[in-house]
Amino acid sequence: MLLLPAGFLRSQDGDDVLGRMIHLSKEKNTVYRLLDKVSDQTGLLFIYDSKLIDNEKTVRIPDGDYTIRQAIYRITGDEQLNLRVIGNHILISPPQNKIPVAIPDTIPGEETNVHFVVKGILLDRQTNDPIEAGTVGVLNTSIGSITNANGEFRLTLPDSLRTSTLYFSHLGYEPREVAASLLTEQNSTIVLEAKVIPIQEVVVRIVNPLRLLRDMQENIRKNYPQSPAYLTTFYREGIERKSQFVGLTEAVFKVYKSGYKQNPSPDQVKLLKMRRIISQREKDTLIARMKSGIGASLHLDLIKEMPDFLLANENIEEYTYASTDITVIDNRLANVVYFEQKENVRSPLYRGELYIDSENNALLRARFEINPKYIKQTVGMLVEKKSRNLKITPQRVTYTVTYKPYNGQYYINHVRGDLYFKIKRRKQLFGTFPLHTWFEMVTCKVDTDQVSRFTRNEALPTRTVFAETEFTYDEKFWGNFNVIPPEERLNDAIGKISSKIEETEE
């Protein structure tokens, strides 16, 4: 399904709209780009299943005047398509005897009649590149998810939300809102337009990055909830060896998130559901356990557990700060602050970027990494335990953290960590191979009513190796919960590895 920029065209009569004349110049281009040109002239949004129409098919269009209907048929090469005007959208659907092929899920689940699915891919309109970690959610609710590395998303929503509005957003792009009823049960391609900041609307001034950090800290009580909340989250962690996936563990957690105030009580995690896939042929890879996972996802709530680079006043001797740019996050201006450790500091610290709302001073996003210059010194901090015959050397460690507003307060939305290592078997000349372990947690729903801490029996230990946790696989549950779709490479690996989903008795 393709969404192109909205304009001002309105009509109650679809035939009148489709009969309006436009001019197309002689051109050879893809279906995607040609429909884009129709949209530029008409202001209409095209919506269709990407399995129905090949966006990348090359088409030659003669110069001439066409009705909108004729232009669509000429570009798609199919005059049997059904065209229907709905507000600012033209919904292109197949003839009744043609049914688009659905994309199967990695692990099939049983959909019930009380749910519907919205899935597809989020793209940059100009480059056609996938948008990773884009936000997908239901407007005016706390329900949502993010796109994977291929820009793919999948939302399973209760039937009561069929008349709701979905929103799509990402750093540096114009957010987009679309009626859920237009996107159901199809594989959608949705494009976002890069946000351009008109220079005449920007007051150019010198911004003190240390002042931005102080303002951020002073406004924590205003921007972040002081009372606890339940976060329903989707979590996954994986291991790659030699660029081949050998293990994947996914889970749904209920997180007790305490308020953002001084000396908060620790956050807790309750395991709701879990599934795991492990390659039987690569079990030796798992003899190295890395310090990542659930505990790290909780500790990366930067506002609650302030890292040294956010405490600028206390660590000014260790870090250098610079205000480098202005960008847009969810239609709001944000100041970009770059930081890195000073040259005279020899211990491994961080460098990265902070995105701070220019109006309310909330931290919206952070991307940072351990300084590559000193990364090899961090092996003791990153490696939990390892086999005696292995030498593990860290190569790169990166983190991304984002916050999203709900009812006027910002909650942790997405945490991702990627840890890259080089592993060498001792006493073997050619026994070196790369290892990549990663984890991420995304908030799918926020609840603020009747929140209380979990009992000791309910709370999941967060410092253990989560992949070794016992669980019972519930196939029906996974069919109706919002998860992050697997990337192409991960999806391909899961289909080829020899293991099955592990199941244990309750």
Side-chain angles (χ1 to χ4, degrees), residues 108-119:
E110 295 183 8
E111 305 288 353
T112 68
N113 294 329
V114 295
H115 291 82
F116 68 99
V117 175
V118 175
K119 60 183 178 180

Side-chain angles (χ1 to χ4, degrees), residues 213 216-217 306-316 319 321:
L213 292 179
M216 181 200 70
Q217 294 178 45
M306 286 275 187
D308 53 2
F309 54 77
L310 284 185
L311 301 172
N313 291 337
E314 300 176 19
N315 295 279
I316 190 62
Y319 286 96
Y321 299 87

Side-chain angles (χ1 to χ4, degrees), residues 11 13-15 17-18 44 83-91:
S11 175
D13 191 331
D15 288 337
V17 173
L18 295 174
L44 290 168
L83 306 180
R84 181 184 175 195
V85 178
I86 306 174
N88 282 344
H89 302 87
I90 295 181
L91 179 62

